[in-house]
Amino acid sequence: ERQGQNGTKFTRPGEEKRKEGHRERCREHRGPGTTCGRKKEKLTKRGREKMSQGTGMVGGRRVQPIQSLNPYMGATWTIRARVANKSNMRTYKSAKGDGNLFNVEFIDEEGTRIEATLWREVAQKYFENIEEGKVYYISKAGLKPANKAFSSVQNDYQLLISDRTEIEECNDASAEQLQKVKPKLNVTKIGDLPRHLGSRMLLDIIGVVASVSPLGSVKRKVDQSELARRDLTIFDTSGRQVTVTMWQTLASEEGDKLDKMQTEYPIIALQGVRANDYNGVSLSTVSRSTVIINPSTDESSDDFIPEAKELKEWLSQQGGKIEYPHCGAGLANNGRTSLGGAANNTRVTLQDLREKPVPAVGTKPEYVNTWAYVSNIQPDQTLYYMAAPDGSNKKVVAEGDRYYSEGTGKHYDSFIRRYVMRCEVMDHTGNLTFNVFNDQAEVILGCKADEIAESKESKDAAYDVTLKNALLVPYTFRVACKPEEYNNQTRLRFAAQSLKPLNFVEQSTYLIGQIDNLLPKAEAAH
C-alpha cells in the first residue's frame, strides 16, 4: 500500500486477494481468531521442541534425554534420571562465609551422566530428599558449563539446581527400567592420558592386560587400617601402556580373576578411574569404579562395546607384541614433581607459569625454577605479621600487655615480626605476582621485618627508599605452584620457596647452552 498526498491509499493489483488468502490459511492452520504473530510464536516454540529432541510423553510428562540439553533451552525441560552417586554433605569456608554443599550424579535411560553441585540452603533443602539409587523427575533447573577441574563426570554441562527446581520421585514402570541402565562408556585412549593430569574427571579406559602384580596392601595413615591393592599394566591401540592400581574389592576379586587369566591377555573395560601423575602418568580406581573383564564384542548383544571389538581386531594383528612405551615417558620430571619427589631443575618462563593448567584443589604443589627481576612491591600492603618469639612462627595477638598465640596456646611477653609479602616479578615474557615469606623477603629487602617496621609505621621516607632499592634486581627463584579456591574459582598461587641472587657466570653458561641448542650441530661445533 502507498498513501498519496491527499491521503488516498493505493493498493497494488491483487494485494487484497493475497492478504485474504494468507488469513484464510492461518485460520485453517490454527483456527478462528489466530493471528500471524501467534502462529509465529507457536511455530518457534515447536521448533525449539523439535531441536531439543524430546523422548516423548512418560508418566504424563515430556521428558528430555540428558544428551539433548543445552543452556539455550531455558528452564522449560524435564529429565527423568536415576541418582547414580551422591556424596556426603561437606562444609566449606570462603570469603563469602561458611556453607554446605554436596554433589549428585544423575544417569538417564541412554546411559548419559550429568553432575550437579548443590550449595547452602539448596543443599539443606534437598539432601535428605534425594536418595542414591532412586529415580526422579527434575524440572525448572538450569545448565552451566562444567568445571572440568572439579567435575568427575564426562559431560560439557552441569545441572544448576536452585530453590525453585522441582525434584519429584518417579514411581511408575519406567523407574524399574532405569534401575538396569549402565553408564555409557566414553573411552579415552591411553596415549591421551597426560592431558587429563590434574583433573578430577573420572575416565573410561579399555585396554589389554599385559601383566598383573600379586595382591598387596598399604596402611592408611588416618587409622592404620589395611587397604588391599593390586597393579595392572594395560595397553591399547594408541601403542602406549599405563599402570592401573586397583583397590579393595576390585583388587582382591576382579584382580584375582585377571591374575589367573593374564596368560590369555584379556581385554578389560575400566569405568570411572582417575589419572594421576605418579610415575609420570598412572590410573587408580575409586569407590565408584567398575571393571568389566572381556566385554562383549558381539554387535547383536545389548552389552556390545565397539571399542572392545576394535581393540580385539587390532590385537590380532600385532603378532603377540605386548611391550609398548609408557604413556608417561618423559613426564616423571617434567615440572609435575611434588614435594619430596625428584629434583626438577628445568627452568621455565613466567609465561609458562601463567599458562600452566590449573589442577584440582588438594593436588600436591609443583616446584619449578625461574629467573626474574623484582619489578614492584606495593608499599601499602601488610608486609609482616606478629609472630611468637619461640621459633614456632605462629601468629600472636595482643592481650593486655602480653601476646597470645592460638597456634601454640601460649602467652608471650614479646613478639618478633616476620615477613609475608607479595611482590611482582617480570622477565622477557611478562610479569606475575609471587608470595614471598620471611627468609626470602629478607634477601630482597636487605633487612629484617622488625627493622623496616619502624619506618613503615611512622611513614618515614626511608621505608619507600628501601622498597625502591629492592627493585630491578634479578634472582633465581624456586617456585611452588599450588591450586587454591577463591570466590568459587580455582587458580594457581605462586610462592617463592627459595631464591638467590643471579650468578652471572652460571647464567651465561645456561644461555650459551640454549643458543647451542638452537644452532645446527655443524655450526655449534664450529
mmCIF file of all heavy atoms in Angstrom, residues 21 36 43 105 108 120 139 141 160 177 209 220 224 266 273 293 308 317 385 408 435 461 469 471 475 507 520:
data_model
loop_
_atom_site.group_PDB
_atom_site.id
_atom_site.type_symbol
_atom_site.label_atom_id
_atom_site.label_comp_id
_atom_site.label_asym_id
_atom_site.label_seq_id
_atom_site.Cartn_x
_atom_site.Cartn_y
_atom_site.Cartn_z
ATOM 1 N N GLY A 21 -6.134 -14.526 1.266
ATOM 2 C CA GLY A 21 -5.718 -15.922 1.171
ATOM 3 C C GLY A 21 -4.784 -16.317 2.315
ATOM 4 O O GLY A 21 -4.858 -17.421 2.852
ATOM 5 N N CYS A 36 -1.198 -13.989 12.757
ATOM 6 C CA CYS A 36 0.093 -14.442 12.237
ATOM 7 C C CYS A 36 1.156 -14.409 13.310
ATOM 8 O O CYS A 36 2.025 -15.265 13.365
ATOM 9 C CB CYS A 36 0.523 -13.569 11.058
ATOM 10 S SG CYS A 36 -0.585 -13.698 9.641
ATOM 11 N N LEU A 43 5.035 -21.642 16.306
ATOM 12 C CA LEU A 43 5.983 -22.366 15.488
ATOM 13 C C LEU A 43 7.380 -22.279 16.072
ATOM 14 O O LEU A 43 8.158 -23.226 16.013
ATOM 15 C CB LEU A 43 5.961 -21.810 14.055
ATOM 16 C CG LEU A 43 4.699 -22.131 13.253
ATOM 17 C CD1 LEU A 43 4.747 -21.425 11.907
ATOM 18 C CD2 LEU A 43 4.529 -23.639 13.072
ATOM 19 N N GLU A 105 25.252 -37.257 41.099
ATOM 20 C CA GLU A 105 25.459 -37.682 39.716
ATOM 21 C C GLU A 105 24.208 -38.403 39.243
ATOM 22 O O GLU A 105 23.758 -39.359 39.871
ATOM 23 C CB GLU A 105 26.669 -38.611 39.622
ATOM 24 C CG GLU A 105 26.947 -39.116 38.214
ATOM 25 C CD GLU A 105 28.052 -40.153 38.184
ATOM 26 O OE1 GLU A 105 28.991 -40.045 39.003
ATOM 27 O OE2 GLU A 105 27.966 -41.090 37.357
ATOM 28 N N ASP A 108 20.552 -41.153 32.885
ATOM 29 C CA ASP A 108 19.240 -41.375 32.275
ATOM 30 C C ASP A 108 19.198 -42.711 31.545
ATOM 31 O O ASP A 108 20.160 -43.496 31.603
ATOM 32 C CB ASP A 108 18.848 -40.210 31.362
ATOM 33 C CG ASP A 108 19.703 -40.119 30.102
ATOM 34 O OD1 ASP A 108 20.580 -40.993 29.896
ATOM 35 O OD2 ASP A 108 19.505 -39.170 29.319
ATOM 36 N N ARG A 120 24.622 -24.451 49.915
ATOM 37 C CA ARG A 120 23.987 -23.695 51.009
ATOM 38 C C ARG A 120 22.536 -24.151 51.262
ATOM 39 O O ARG A 120 22.293 -25.307 51.566
ATOM 40 C CB ARG A 120 24.070 -22.201 50.704
ATOM 41 C CG ARG A 120 25.491 -21.690 50.535
ATOM 42 C CD ARG A 120 25.514 -20.181 50.329
ATOM 43 N NE ARG A 120 26.859 -19.678 50.131
ATOM 44 C CZ ARG A 120 27.450 -19.587 48.935
ATOM 45 N NH1 ARG A 120 26.801 -19.939 47.847
ATOM 46 N NH2 ARG A 120 28.687 -19.132 48.838
ATOM 47 N N SER A 139 12.806 -30.814 36.995
ATOM 48 C CA SER A 139 12.377 -29.742 36.105
ATOM 49 C C SER A 139 12.706 -28.388 36.726
ATOM 50 O O SER A 139 13.049 -28.297 37.903
ATOM 51 C CB SER A 139 10.867 -29.850 35.825
ATOM 52 O OG SER A 139 10.135 -29.776 37.031
ATOM 53 N N ALA A 141 15.240 -26.565 36.254
ATOM 54 C CA ALA A 141 16.658 -26.455 36.585
ATOM 55 C C ALA A 141 17.363 -25.752 35.439
ATOM 56 O O ALA A 141 16.796 -25.541 34.368
ATOM 57 C CB ALA A 141 17.265 -27.832 36.846
ATOM 58 N N LEU A 160 22.234 -26.911 37.198
ATOM 59 C CA LEU A 160 22.104 -25.841 38.182
ATOM 60 C C LEU A 160 20.781 -26.047 38.912
ATOM 61 O O LEU A 160 19.713 -25.811 38.355
ATOM 62 C CB LEU A 160 22.121 -24.469 37.495
ATOM 63 C CG LEU A 160 23.467 -23.811 37.251
ATOM 64 C CD1 LEU A 160 23.270 -22.543 36.431
ATOM 65 C CD2 LEU A 160 24.153 -23.483 38.561
ATOM 66 N N GLN A 177 12.976 -49.683 34.682
ATOM 67 C CA GLN A 177 13.868 -49.772 33.531
ATOM 68 C C GLN A 177 15.174 -49.028 33.799
ATOM 69 O O GLN A 177 16.255 -49.495 33.433
ATOM 70 C CB GLN A 177 13.180 -49.204 32.289
ATOM 71 C CG GLN A 177 11.897 -49.925 31.908
ATOM 72 C CD GLN A 177 11.163 -49.211 30.780
ATOM 73 O OE1 GLN A 177 11.621 -48.194 30.270
ATOM 74 N NE2 GLN A 177 10.007 -49.752 30.397
ATOM 75 N N VAL A 209 45.287 -56.464 29.082
ATOM 76 C CA VAL A 209 46.087 -56.680 30.288
ATOM 77 C C VAL A 209 47.386 -57.379 29.894
ATOM 78 O O VAL A 209 47.385 -58.532 29.446
ATOM 79 C CB VAL A 209 45.319 -57.516 31.324
ATOM 80 C CG1 VAL A 209 46.179 -57.754 32.563
ATOM 81 C CG2 VAL A 209 44.018 -56.817 31.704
ATOM 82 N N ARG A 220 46.597 -47.271 55.802
ATOM 83 C CA ARG A 220 46.028 -45.930 55.750
ATOM 84 C C ARG A 220 46.561 -45.131 56.935
ATOM 85 O O ARG A 220 46.564 -45.591 58.075
ATOM 86 C CB ARG A 220 44.506 -46.018 55.807
ATOM 87 C CG ARG A 220 43.809 -44.677 55.748
ATOM 88 C CD ARG A 220 42.307 -44.867 55.855
ATOM 89 N NE ARG A 220 41.743 -45.354 54.603
ATOM 90 C CZ ARG A 220 40.550 -45.937 54.518
ATOM 91 N NH1 ARG A 220 39.834 -46.139 55.582
ATOM 92 N NH2 ARG A 220 40.095 -46.340 53.349
ATOM 93 N N GLN A 224 45.401 -46.475 60.331
ATOM 94 C CA GLN A 224 46.304 -47.627 60.242
ATOM 95 C C GLN A 224 45.612 -48.896 59.729
ATOM 96 O O GLN A 224 46.109 -50.005 59.921
ATOM 97 C CB GLN A 224 46.947 -47.912 61.610
ATOM 98 C CG GLN A 224 47.841 -46.791 62.127
ATOM 99 C CD GLN A 224 48.998 -46.497 61.185
ATOM 100 O OE1 GLN A 224 49.789 -47.387 60.869
ATOM 101 N NE2 GLN A 224 49.106 -45.253 60.740
ATOM 102 N N PRO A 266 43.671 -60.853 28.567
ATOM 103 C CA PRO A 266 42.256 -60.446 28.459
ATOM 104 C C PRO A 266 42.109 -58.951 28.207
ATOM 105 O O PRO A 266 42.996 -58.150 28.529
ATOM 106 C CB PRO A 266 41.679 -60.829 29.822
ATOM 107 C CG PRO A 266 42.852 -60.746 30.757
ATOM 108 C CD PRO A 266 44.033 -61.202 29.953
ATOM 109 N N VAL A 273 37.766 -44.331 36.380
ATOM 110 C CA VAL A 273 39.075 -44.332 37.031
ATOM 111 C C VAL A 273 39.694 -42.942 36.899
ATOM 112 O O VAL A 273 39.311 -42.151 36.035
ATOM 113 C CB VAL A 273 40.019 -45.402 36.436
ATOM 114 C CG1 VAL A 273 39.505 -46.784 36.733
ATOM 115 C CG2 VAL A 273 40.184 -45.211 34.928
ATOM 116 N N ILE A 293 35.499 -57.539 32.607
ATOM 117 C CA ILE A 293 36.524 -58.404 32.016
ATOM 118 C C ILE A 293 35.981 -59.007 30.727
ATOM 119 O O ILE A 293 34.872 -59.548 30.702
ATOM 120 C CB ILE A 293 36.930 -59.505 33.008
ATOM 121 C CG1 ILE A 293 37.476 -58.884 34.295
ATOM 122 C CG2 ILE A 293 37.971 -60.440 32.388
ATOM 123 C CD1 ILE A 293 37.774 -59.899 35.381
ATOM 124 N N ALA A 308 35.861 -52.233 22.317
ATOM 125 C CA ALA A 308 36.427 -53.537 22.660
ATOM 126 C C ALA A 308 36.637 -54.382 21.401
ATOM 127 O O ALA A 308 37.655 -55.080 21.265
ATOM 128 C CB ALA A 308 35.503 -54.264 23.632
ATOM 129 N N GLN A 317 46.414 -58.405 15.091
ATOM 130 C CA GLN A 317 47.360 -58.039 14.030
ATOM 131 C C GLN A 317 48.742 -57.661 14.573
ATOM 132 O O GLN A 317 49.623 -57.283 13.808
ATOM 133 C CB GLN A 317 46.801 -56.858 13.229
ATOM 134 C CG GLN A 317 45.452 -57.137 12.587
ATOM 135 C CD GLN A 317 44.820 -55.890 11.998
ATOM 136 O OE1 GLN A 317 45.423 -54.815 11.980
ATOM 137 N NE2 GLN A 317 43.583 -56.022 11.508
ATOM 138 N N TYR A 385 53.788 -9.809 59.927
ATOM 139 C CA TYR A 385 52.831 -10.116 60.994
ATOM 140 C C TYR A 385 53.600 -10.321 62.296
ATOM 141 O O TYR A 385 54.823 -10.513 62.301
ATOM 142 C CB TYR A 385 52.006 -11.355 60.650
ATOM 143 C CG TYR A 385 52.792 -12.663 60.653
ATOM 144 C CD1 TYR A 385 52.763 -13.507 61.769
ATOM 145 C CD2 TYR A 385 53.560 -13.055 59.553
ATOM 146 C CE1 TYR A 385 53.472 -14.702 61.790
ATOM 147 C CE2 TYR A 385 54.277 -14.234 59.558
ATOM 148 C CZ TYR A 385 54.230 -15.056 60.679
ATOM 149 O OH TYR A 385 54.944 -16.228 60.694
ATOM 150 N N THR A 408 49.875 -22.038 69.330
ATOM 151 C CA THR A 408 50.619 -22.751 70.366
ATOM 152 C C THR A 408 49.860 -22.821 71.677
ATOM 153 O O THR A 408 50.210 -23.603 72.560
ATOM 154 C CB THR A 408 51.970 -22.059 70.611
ATOM 155 O OG1 THR A 408 51.743 -20.735 71.119
ATOM 156 C CG2 THR A 408 52.783 -21.976 69.329
ATOM 157 N N ASN A 435 54.045 -14.803 46.108
ATOM 158 C CA ASN A 435 54.035 -14.668 47.563
ATOM 159 C C ASN A 435 55.444 -14.944 48.072
ATOM 160 O O ASN A 435 56.058 -15.951 47.681
ATOM 161 C CB ASN A 435 53.051 -15.658 48.193
ATOM 162 C CG ASN A 435 51.612 -15.292 47.922
ATOM 163 O OD1 ASN A 435 51.312 -14.152 47.597
ATOM 164 N ND2 ASN A 435 50.716 -16.236 48.042
ATOM 165 N N ALA A 461 60.163 8.417 55.088
ATOM 166 C CA ALA A 461 60.543 8.275 53.675
ATOM 167 C C ALA A 461 61.534 7.133 53.479
ATOM 168 O O ALA A 461 61.667 6.590 52.365
ATOM 169 C CB ALA A 461 61.137 9.583 53.162
ATOM 170 N N ASN A 469 64.860 0.473 46.405
ATOM 171 C CA ASN A 469 66.192 -0.105 46.200
ATOM 172 C C ASN A 469 66.131 -1.606 45.913
ATOM 173 O O ASN A 469 67.100 -2.175 45.396
ATOM 174 C CB ASN A 469 67.075 0.142 47.433
ATOM 175 C CG ASN A 469 67.478 1.595 47.554
ATOM 176 O OD1 ASN A 469 67.448 2.347 46.579
ATOM 177 N ND2 ASN A 469 67.877 1.999 48.741
ATOM 178 N N LEU A 471 64.057 -3.009 43.847
ATOM 179 C CA LEU A 471 63.516 -3.267 42.512
ATOM 180 C C LEU A 471 64.600 -3.470 41.476
ATOM 181 O O LEU A 471 65.744 -3.009 41.632
ATOM 182 C CB LEU A 471 62.595 -2.118 42.100
ATOM 183 C CG LEU A 471 61.426 -1.793 43.045
ATOM 184 C CD1 LEU A 471 60.578 -0.673 42.476
ATOM 185 C CD2 LEU A 471 60.585 -3.039 43.318
ATOM 186 N N TYR A 475 66.854 -12.452 40.288
ATOM 187 C CA TYR A 475 67.047 -13.592 41.185
ATOM 188 C C TYR A 475 66.679 -14.879 40.448
ATOM 189 O O TYR A 475 65.882 -14.870 39.504
ATOM 190 C CB TYR A 475 66.162 -13.491 42.428
ATOM 191 C CG TYR A 475 66.468 -12.314 43.319
ATOM 192 C CD1 TYR A 475 65.763 -11.119 43.194
ATOM 193 C CD2 TYR A 475 67.452 -12.399 44.299
ATOM 194 C CE1 TYR A 475 66.033 -10.033 44.016
ATOM 195 C CE2 TYR A 475 67.741 -11.311 45.134
ATOM 196 C CZ TYR A 475 67.022 -10.149 44.982
ATOM 197 O OH TYR A 475 67.308 -9.074 45.793
ATOM 198 N N GLN A 507 74.500 -18.026 34.653
ATOM 199 C CA GLN A 507 73.514 -17.563 33.683
ATOM 200 C C GLN A 507 74.094 -17.536 32.281
ATOM 201 O O GLN A 507 73.431 -17.937 31.313
ATOM 202 C CB GLN A 507 73.002 -16.175 34.081
ATOM 203 C CG GLN A 507 72.021 -15.547 33.103
ATOM 204 C CD GLN A 507 70.673 -16.242 33.071
ATOM 205 O OE1 GLN A 507 70.449 -17.221 33.796
ATOM 206 N NE2 GLN A 507 69.774 -15.770 32.236
ATOM 207 N N PRO A 520 72.255 -25.305 14.203
ATOM 208 C CA PRO A 520 72.536 -26.623 13.609
ATOM 209 C C PRO A 520 73.814 -27.192 14.221
ATOM 210 O O PRO A 520 74.724 -26.448 14.597
ATOM 211 C CB PRO A 520 72.712 -26.316 12.113
ATOM 212 C CG PRO A 520 71.999 -25.012 11.905
ATOM 213 C CD PRO A 520 72.146 -24.252 13.182
#
